[in-house]
Amino acid sequence: MKERNSTAAISVKAPVIGLPRAMLYDRYEVLWKSFFSALGMKGIVSKPTNKAMIEAGSTLAIDEACLSTKIYLGHIQSLIGKCDYILVPRISNFGLHRNMCTKFESLYDVVCNVFRNTDQKFVAYNVDVLQKIDEEKAFVDLGTALGYDRKTAQKAYKRAKRNESEDWKKKVHEEEALYKSQSIKVLIVAHSYVLGDAYIGQPVIDYLKSMEVTPIRADVVDRKEALKQSAKVSKTLKWELSRELMGSIQMHRDKVDGLILLSAFPCGPDSMVNEMIIRKFTGLPILNIVLDNQDGTAGLETRLESFTDILKLKKGVL
Ligand code: SF4
């Protein structure tokens, strides 16, 4: 591919990159948008998850796939033909004992295979620190694969990283303020793509708020500190995102009235980690919810209502 710099790219025609609003989007939104914008590319994001996307993704995925993967495929489908490229990162690990769920390693290949009969181009960036490919190298490689020179890609990454860091500090600061609330506080322990999803996670947050409960996201945390704290609970837990959540519970256990564990069916890591949380954090009321692609929220609301009633009774406010 011919190399170009970002200015030249804009003056010809800015390439359009599609960002599926699922899986790691919630985590990397600022990094991705800033990086592509600094390169002079135009980003488009799929719409918030809706029923049609889940149905489409369920048809495309194998039955055993987790709900998050099905949702992701639904988002990819909604972007097909609307952009020059669709970003599907391949993230294996951030170092020793810092693995991602294997789904994040295979996603790019799964997507290319599922949509092999379309003309859509997919691009990945590969993070595999154990193979000496850190995030910066992965982004610079992605930039050069898109036709930019290494210096331009590196500059774009550094700027994106600064934006990401500032944005994350602000988000953590805002979430931390919620622990001071006088109302019943519930720490929701879920992957960002579950809790941040408009169709499966947002209804839980909305319902808790309607019950005058303050929901707090365990995933919005000082990640470095959370990883450190997670070692106090388990030294062998190897999934990065689960370790962040575990560390977040350890950091905030005394500031909340209860925990809600929210998982996508059938999540392998969560099935093990949630059991561990229930056994390690005894004394804290815990509600374990597994979300599937069934319609209707009546059953879910009943469980949330019963749980918040228990918390209110315990606190003497019911
Ligand atoms: S951690 Fe669970 S929900 Fe997330 S991708 Fe892996 S199996 Fe799916």
Side-chain angles (χ1 to χ4, degrees), residues 232-288:
K232 292 184 183 163
V233 188
S234 166
K235 290 197 189 331
T236 52
L237 188 60
K238 65 171 191 171
W239 295 294
E240 179 88 348
L241 304 188
S242 303
R243 284 183 60 201
E244 287 175 4
L245 292 173
M246 189 70 93
S248 182
I249 305 174
Q250 176 70 10
M251 287 160 73
H252 302 114
R253 60 189 296 174
D254 299 328
K255 299 181 210 154
V256 294
D257 299 286
L259 303 181
I260 294 180
L261 314 180
L262 204 61
S263 302
F265 178 81
C267 174
D270 282 7
S271 64
M272 201 205 90
V273 174
N274 288 355
E275 274 303 311
M276 193 190 277
I277 292 170
I278 291 165
R279 282 158 206 243
K280 297 273 186 183
F281 295 96
T282 50
L284 256 184
I286 299 177
L287 175 65
N288 191 6

Side-chain angles (χ1 to χ4, degrees), residues 23 66 68-69 101 103-104 191 193-194 264 266-270:
M23 287 296 209
C66 67
S68 303
T69 303
C101 164
K103 298 281 187 304
F104 294 106
H191 295 297
Y193 44 88
V194 173
C267 174
D270 282 7

Side-chain angles (χ1 to χ4, degrees), residues 213-233:
V213 168
T214 302
I216 308 179
R217 292 180 63 147
D219 61 315
V220 182
V221 66
D222 176 342
R223 290 177 181 146
K224 224 170 158 184
E225 182 60 22
L227 289 178
K228 214 160 87 188
Q229 293 293 327
S230 75
K232 292 184 183 163
V233 188

